[in-house]
Amino acid sequence: MGKIKADYLIVGQGLAGSWLAYEMLKRNLSVVIFDEGTPHTSSKKAAGIYNPITGRKMVKTWRADALFPDLENQYQKLEISLKSKFLYPIPIYRPFKTIEDQNDWDGRRTDSGYDQYLKKVLTEPIGYSNIHDPLGGIILNHSGYVNIPEFLKAMKLYIQNKGTYRREVFDYQRMELNFEGVSYDDINVGKVIFCEGVSSNPYWELPFRPVRGEIIDIETKLSSEHIINQGVFMIPKGQNRFTIGSTYDHKKLTYEPQAEGIKSLEERLKKLYSGKFEIVDKRAGVRPATHDRKPYIGLHHKYKTLGIFNGFGTKGVSLTPHFAKHFVDVLEGHSDIDEEVHVQRVV
């Protein structure tokens, strides 16, 4: 057999690697992708929420105006292309904690910067049984979740049909770098792009701030047309099931759910929801978060045939489609790198 020649080799077929591969293949670039196939990745464990208004102060998330207006349309087009279903647009209901929150959001009704994301401001309870929301809350547009395991499965088939997919561990020692590209066993490529999530890549010593997060699935009789988000998020999955999350632990970075994490979720859930529930599943993932909560994108400062597309943390669903397009534009010489996400800011 002869050598396989391709434009790019991508290491990791998580959310980031999948979107990057899709953007490359859409432009008729040739791609080889390596993936370990392990179930213990942050993408396969994540809840997949996308939410334009975040944080304790309930403000627009970073780059919201660039990311969210077309986000659902991008995933819907991808569903059609891949003949799969993984996007679930659902309004988020965020109960107010204080009268001050209520007054603040009542004033934002006329703020043009928020009007496309704000569906409704409630000053009375929404009416869901056993939900604690005496002051009402806000209902958001451009929100919902992506079933990431279904997305990854569909993308894997797409990559297998359009490119070269290898289920194996990428061995850095077998990679040979030269001025024209990279050789790896029987493969010659122009560049290797690492999309590995939390890893020990010898070429990138970056200030990642990985964080473990637990998620539980519960059964309960609550009926909700919204994702309810206050202290925890409650994602309705149908048939009396909800996904509840999440925890944030920077110390114990394990893919196994921890008792203290599950206990924390239960305690916070009970502050929002007083109904009876049964835990039917629990899982944990380690998110590849960064020190400044912005991804690492760009080429190596020394080896220009090596790139990185990583560090999307909890906002991967909303960030990766936009920045995959941007990075391929950069790689193909059509654009300069966005300095806010450029990996060279920390090298």
Side-chain angles (χ1 to χ4, degrees), residues 12-300:
Q13 195 243 316
L15 194 62
S18 292
W19 265 110
L20 191 63
Y22 176 74
E23 190 62 41
M24 290 174 173
L25 292 167
K26 191 170 67 171
R27 303 188 195 194
N28 295 316
L29 297 167
S30 51
V31 176
V32 177
I33 193 160
F34 275 61
D35 189 72
E36 296 182 25
T38 175
H40 299 300
T41 66
S42 59
S43 291
K44 292 174 182 175
K45 301 293 184 69
I49 287 181
Y50 58 96
N51 176 9
I53 307 295
T54 61
R56 293 178 182 176
K57 296 182 179 180
M58 292 194 288
V59 296
K60 284 193 292 187
T61 191
W62 177 67
R63 298 285 183 94
D65 294 340
L67 301 173
F68 281 86
D70 194 47
L71 182 65
E72 291 172 343
N73 183 49
Q74 292 179 76
Y75 276 99
Q76 287 164 350
K77 285 182 177 178
L78 192 56
E79 285 183 322
I80 294 170
S81 177
L82 303 184
K83 298 179 181 179
S84 183
K85 173 64 179 173
F86 39 76
L87 176 71
Y88 296 89
I90 304 175
I92 290 178
Y93 175 53
R94 180 97 180 236
F96 295 129
K97 278 189 172 183
T98 66
I99 288 290
E100 288 75 19
D101 289 340
Q102 188 189 73
N103 292 336
D104 183 34
W105 275 96
D106 195 49
R108 290 193 208 179
R109 290 175 191 261
T110 57
D111 186 335
S112 60
Y114 281 84
D115 57 359
Q116 65 176 315
Y117 308 116
L118 189 57
K119 186 173 184 178
K120 198 170 185 180
V121 177
L122 303 178
T123 55
E124 296 180 350
I126 196 171
Y128 289 139
S129 178
N130 296 311
I131 289 293
H132 183 69
D133 62 337
L135 300 173
I138 56 172
I139 300 176
L140 302 174
N141 287 317
H142 296 302
S143 61
Y145 75 95
V146 171
N147 184 326
I148 300 180
E150 284 299 317
F151 167 84
L152 296 179
K153 185 166 67 174
M155 279 301 310
K156 179 180 176 181
L157 290 174
Y158 179 84
I159 294 165
Q160 287 174 326
N161 290 331
K162 298 281 188 176
T164 300
Y165 179 93
R166 291 194 173 185
R167 181 173 176 174
E168 62 180 273
V169 177
F170 187 85
D171 184 355
Y172 310 108
Q173 302 300 320
R174 287 151 60 187
M175 185 170 62
E176 297 181 11
L177 310 181
N178 55 63
F179 289 109
E180 296 181 353
V182 182
S183 296
Y184 186 97
D185 293 348
D186 61 333
I187 302 170
N188 285 334
V189 296
K191 290 181 175 63
V192 175
I193 312 296
F194 294 102
C195 310
E196 304 160 290
V198 178
S199 69
S200 299
N201 190 314
Y203 290 94
W204 300 97
E205 294 183 6
L206 300 171
F208 280 98
R209 196 165 183 259
V211 54
R212 187 190 85 242
E214 275 94 3
I215 289 174
I216 59 176
D217 291 326
I218 66 169
E219 283 188 357
T220 184
K221 291 184 178 180
L222 175 67
S223 177
S224 173
E225 298 177 353
H226 301 85
I227 295 172
I228 305 172
N229 186 358
Q230 182 55 266
V232 293
F233 56 73
M234 302 180 67
I235 307 175
K237 294 294 184 68
Q239 298 181 326
N240 296 326
R241 283 209 173 199
F242 286 78
T243 294
I244 313 296
S246 175
T247 58
Y248 298 86
D249 189 331
H250 294 281
K251 295 179 180 179
K252 196 167 186 178
L253 302 178
T254 173
Y255 288 95
E256 295 300 323
Q258 301 299 300
E260 64 270 22
I262 302 302
K263 182 180 179 182
S264 172
L265 280 179
E266 289 186 82
E267 290 175 348
R268 284 186 282 147
L269 175 59
K270 289 175 181 177
K271 292 179 181 179
L272 174 64
Y273 176 60
S274 59
K276 293 182 180 180
F277 62 87
E278 177 186 357
I279 297 176
V280 294
D281 192 21
K282 49 191 174 183
R283 53 197 180 276
V286 179
R287 313 175 189 98
T290 66
H291 73 295
D292 59 2
R293 300 185 179 182
K294 296 179 177 68
Y296 294 142
I297 301 173
L299 297 177
H300 198 279

